[in-house]
Amino acid sequence: MERSFGSFTKPGRPTRRFAALALTGALALLAGCSGGGEDGGPPVLPCTDLLFRHDLTSPAAGDVYLQQIDATCTTVDIAVFVKDLGGIFTVGFDLTYPAAQVSYLSYTLGALLQAGSTTTPFHTVLNPAPGTLQVTGSRLNPDLPVNATGSEILFVLRFQRVAMGTGAVDFDTSGGSVFPEEIRDDSMALVQASFGPGHGGTVLVP
């Protein structure tokens, strides 16, 4: 039945069945535009990888610096590199990171301290409080010191997302640092390595 209002004729309200069919069609069209998983499941939402922007763009001989080597939507791997430095036997440093944006998850020992070793190098990363890491690694006798040719990895540190934002990840060279930032040879003599300033970077959590 139609309702007449002067010269304007308004169609009657569609039946419930017609309305349901229209809604089903609209949802199907929306699903087709959004895409779905490979198994035809719900749409896969896009994500953006975490990012670490390093400060040091042209490391020199003896520099110890941070640089991203991998990232996902939830984690970022930041490597501790050393460039063109000989006599490396023991390494120690403190690191600070923005605990409001990321949390420390895990670490792996880089290939350099393990090169040609007959023993298992000592290595540990402590996370005494959110935002702080204490990192040490050492070869053991009778293994000899190693030499970094070009840039080689000492440690890889993995962080995971906490919340959106940005913050600095860097070596703690302040007076409150627990471990002095240093590298020593097998006689415990200092090797001339530089941990800063400006050898860290900024982590971005989208």
Side-chain angles (χ1 to χ4, degrees), residues 4-142:
S4 177
F5 295 85
S7 61
F8 176 76
T9 300
K10 182 178 180 181
R13 184 173 298 175
T15 65
R16 291 186 178 183
R17 182 181 178 187
F18 179 79
L21 290 173
L23 178 60
T24 301
L27 290 175
L29 180 61
L30 180 60
C33 292
S34 300
E38 294 181 359
D39 58 354
V44 177
L45 298 177
C47 66
T48 303
D49 291 349
L50 277 66
L51 177 67
F52 178 74
R53 290 179 177 166
H54 55 276
D55 292 334
L56 192 63
T57 57
S58 300
D63 279 336
V64 183
Y65 63 98
L66 306 179
Q67 187 168 316
Q68 174 183 312
I69 60 171
D70 197 14
T72 69
C73 297
T74 56
T75 63
V76 60
D77 292 348
I78 301 175
V80 182
F81 283 91
V82 59
K83 182 173 182 181
D84 292 328
L85 187 66
I88 301 170
F89 195 80
T90 299
V91 179
F93 56 87
D94 290 15
L95 204 70
T96 59
Y97 64 89
Q101 279 68 54
V102 293
S103 62
Y104 168 69
L105 185 61
S106 62
Y107 81 95
T108 55
L109 182 66
L112 182 59
L113 287 178
Q114 304 179 69
S117 63
T118 59
T119 65
T120 301
F122 168 79
H123 51 94
T124 185
V125 176
L126 302 177
N127 187 202
T132 302
L133 296 181
Q134 299 168 355
V135 184
T136 56
S138 182
R139 291 168 68 83
L140 301 174
N141 292 324

Side-chain angles (χ1 to χ4, degrees), residues 142-182:
D143 293 336
L144 299 175
V146 290
N147 302 320
T149 303
S151 291
E152 300 199 45
I153 295 176
L154 294 167
F155 287 88
V156 177
L157 306 170
R158 174 166 291 183
F159 298 89
Q160 64 182 356
R161 131 191 309 275
V162 171
M164 182 185 301
T166 63
V169 183
D170 208 346
F171 299 104
D172 184 2
T173 57
S174 68
S177 175
V178 175
F179 294 161
E181 282 57 55
E182 62 185 27

